[in-house]
Amino acid sequence: MNWTLRFLGTGAAELSALGSSAAVLERDGKPILLIDCGPDVVPRYWETYGVAPEALYITHVHMDHVGGMEALFTRIRFGEERFPEPVIYTHASLVPLLQGRVADYPNVAAEGGSNYWDAFRLTPCSRGFWHEGLWFDVFPTRHHRPGTSYGLHLRGCFTFTGDTRPIPEVLESVASHGGPIAHDCSLHGNPSHSGVDDIEREYTADLRERMLLYHYSSAQDGEALRARGFAVVEPGQVIELPTPDSPHPDSG
């Protein structure tokens, strides 16, 4: 099997030209899991695959990562074609926040008769979740407030931080089995996001060499990050991945 990670968008919230940051795990070119669903993600996904996503992982509930769920709901519930309800995986602590952000309204349509979650299969998790016969680890990151953002790891295959400040002690453990690390990084950091100086200061050379930087603020910033010696992903780029390790998190 051939495993790849396709970046639908790589931009920070304020830069639509690079697209909302989102990635898709693919197996033999077919989408397995969409990571995050910002405002422009569903059209990009549809253009790429010709179908609606069947499975999503939500890292956190800022609108540049969940704003596309309204469009997905509309396509699923009110479109001319009918699609199976996609499963949504997210950390259990985010469920109240996700409810408040996208679903807490008296009626999702003026006509009534439809609950928001009728369109999805919400699957809360804590340590991780099973999907397509594989175990995905979920781990806390440092973004905005504690307990509000979680990354994703498929053992031996890839790690996706989501939005985060540096988390060296976490990645030293979670990502120890190898594979590239997609890491939030712009040219300049702030209290919620990593800057390149933070990356260089906080991480070992071994971890930095495996990093793919995304969620940067402009194409020019992307070039500046490359000039510092980092791999920087672009919208639409497809990254070859190692084959995942044993599917059980505690085996081997």
Side-chain angles (χ1 to χ4, degrees), residues 17-246:
L18 295 176
S20 301
S21 287
V24 182
L25 176 65
E26 300 174 332
R27 182 173 56 202
D28 293 333
K30 296 181 179 180
I32 297 299
L33 182 67
L34 169 63
I35 306 172
D36 284 337
C37 190
D40 60 348
V41 168
V42 172
R44 291 173 184 260
Y45 190 102
W46 192 272
E47 180 181 349
T48 302
Y49 302 109
V51 296
E54 296 183 2
L56 298 79
Y57 173 73
I58 301 298
T59 63
H60 67 293
V61 302
H62 280 156
M63 289 305 291
D64 57 317
H65 295 263
V66 299
M69 290 182 64
E70 181 177 354
L72 183 55
F73 173 90
T74 302
R75 186 181 289 272
I76 292 169
R77 296 296 290 176
F78 304 129
E80 293 182 1
E81 299 180 70
R82 286 291 179 260
F83 306 100
E85 295 85 359
V87 60
I88 296 180
Y89 302 104
T90 196
H91 195 278
S93 67
L94 300 184
V95 172
L97 302 177
L98 186 61
Q99 171 72 15
R101 182 73 83 180
V102 302
D104 190 9
Y105 192 78
N107 286 309
V108 294
E111 294 78 11
S114 181
N115 302 304
Y116 185 83
W117 294 114
D118 290 345
F120 305 101
R121 291 181 290 138
L122 181 61
T123 303
C125 61
S126 53
R127 292 178 56 238
F129 58 90
W130 288 98
H131 179 66
E132 293 284 328
L134 297 167
W135 174 265
F136 291 80
D137 287 299
V138 168
F139 58 91
T141 63
R142 294 175 56 206
H143 179 58
H144 191 58
R145 294 181 62 184
T148 62
S149 185
Y150 296 86
L152 186 69
H153 171 68
L154 180 57
R155 183 172 176 174
C157 187
F158 78 99
T159 302
F160 192 94
T161 66
D163 294 1
T164 190
R165 294 286 298 161
I167 46 172
E169 68 287 351
V170 175
L171 291 189
E172 286 286 356
S173 174
V174 171
S176 61
H177 295 283
I181 302 167
H183 200 294
D184 169 14
C185 183
S186 193
L187 196 58
H188 305 289
N190 59 43
S192 292
H193 296 277
S194 297
V196 66
D197 290 341
D198 302 317
I199 298 291
E200 292 174 338
R201 180 183 64 253
E202 298 288 342
Y203 289 111
T204 64
D206 289 342
L207 286 177
R208 294 198 305 268
E209 289 173 359
R210 292 165 53 194
M211 286 184 178
L212 306 170
L213 303 187
Y214 75 101
H215 206 280
Y216 46 96
S217 299
S218 69
Q220 292 76 18
D221 280 8
E223 290 303 319
L225 294 171
R226 290 188 185 91
R228 299 277 283 261
F230 288 94
V232 180
V233 289
E234 298 180 350
Q237 187 171 350
V238 178
I239 304 297
E240 297 286 335
L241 299 174
T243 300
D245 288 349
S246 174

